[in-house]
Amino acid sequence: RICVITLAEAHPLLQSGKTITNINYQISANCSRLQNKVSGKSKRGAQFLTELAPLCRISSSDGEEYTIYSCIRGRLIEVNENILSNPALLQEKPSTEGYIAVVLPKFEESKSITQGLLTQKEYKEVLMKRRSSAS
């Protein structure tokens, strides 16, 4: 029932050979995802995220900055602090050690969320269509 937020394999940071220079979980003056303190079975204290809630900002060596959004409603269980000291994990192991965050959707919503996700095969087909329409 948990959702692990990672960079999609089609994300520009993973495609263009860019170097990640900085990851910032400070969303605004009053909101840092690093201040998220979760305790207990009911995950008290977890920040609640909407689909459009920013999780972090990633800067690359060419000056580009990418805001990574939650894309899922739920409680922020954990952010990956390891990528702060080793940003290369995002590019080297994006779907394992280079994850961005873990989000726990509401139990009632978890089924509809998972039904709306693409399978690996469907995702590959979307990417193929996107590439063919771009060229």
Side-chain angles (χ1 to χ4, degrees):
R1 218 188 85 184
I2 63 168
C3 298
V4 180
I5 311 296
T6 64
L7 287 180
E9 58 185 73
H11 194 281
L13 281 167
L14 301 181
Q15 294 299 309
S16 55
K18 296 181 180 191
T19 303
I20 296 173
T21 56
N22 186 40
I23 298 158
N24 190 355
Y25 283 111
Q26 185 76 37
I27 302 309
S28 67
N30 298 327
C31 180
S32 171
R33 300 298 180 210
L34 292 172
Q35 301 302 311
N36 191 52
K37 298 288 182 247
V38 181
S39 66
K41 195 166 113 178
S42 62
K43 307 303 179 212
R44 279 189 308 277
Q47 295 174 10
F48 188 79
L49 304 171
T50 64
E51 296 92 332
L52 300 174
L55 286 171
C56 67
R57 291 190 177 81
I58 302 173
S59 303
S60 65
S61 53
D62 64 355
E64 288 283 328
E65 184 177 82
Y66 300 89
T67 301
I68 307 302
Y69 296 93
S70 170
C71 301
I72 273 184
R73 281 172 42 93
R75 293 177 177 269
L76 179 63
I77 302 303
E78 171 184 325
V79 293
N80 185 1
E81 293 184 32
N82 295 331
I83 60 175
L84 295 173
S85 58
N86 187 2
L89 283 174
L90 274 174
Q91 292 165 311
E92 294 166 4
K93 300 178 179 181
S95 56
T96 57
E97 294 171 48
Y99 72 95
I100 295 168
V102 177
V103 177
L104 180 66
K106 285 185 175 178
F107 183 75
E108 315 82 64
E109 296 176 8
S110 60
K111 190 166 187 120
S112 65
I113 289 170
T114 52
Q115 288 173 339
L117 297 174
L118 298 176
T119 65
Q120 186 73 19
K121 184 180 177 190
E122 291 168 333
Y123 177 66
K124 298 262 188 220
E125 289 170 4
V126 168
L127 291 180
M128 296 287 260
K129 287 178 189 170
R130 204 182 280 172
R131 286 184 187 125
S132 64
S133 67
S135 52

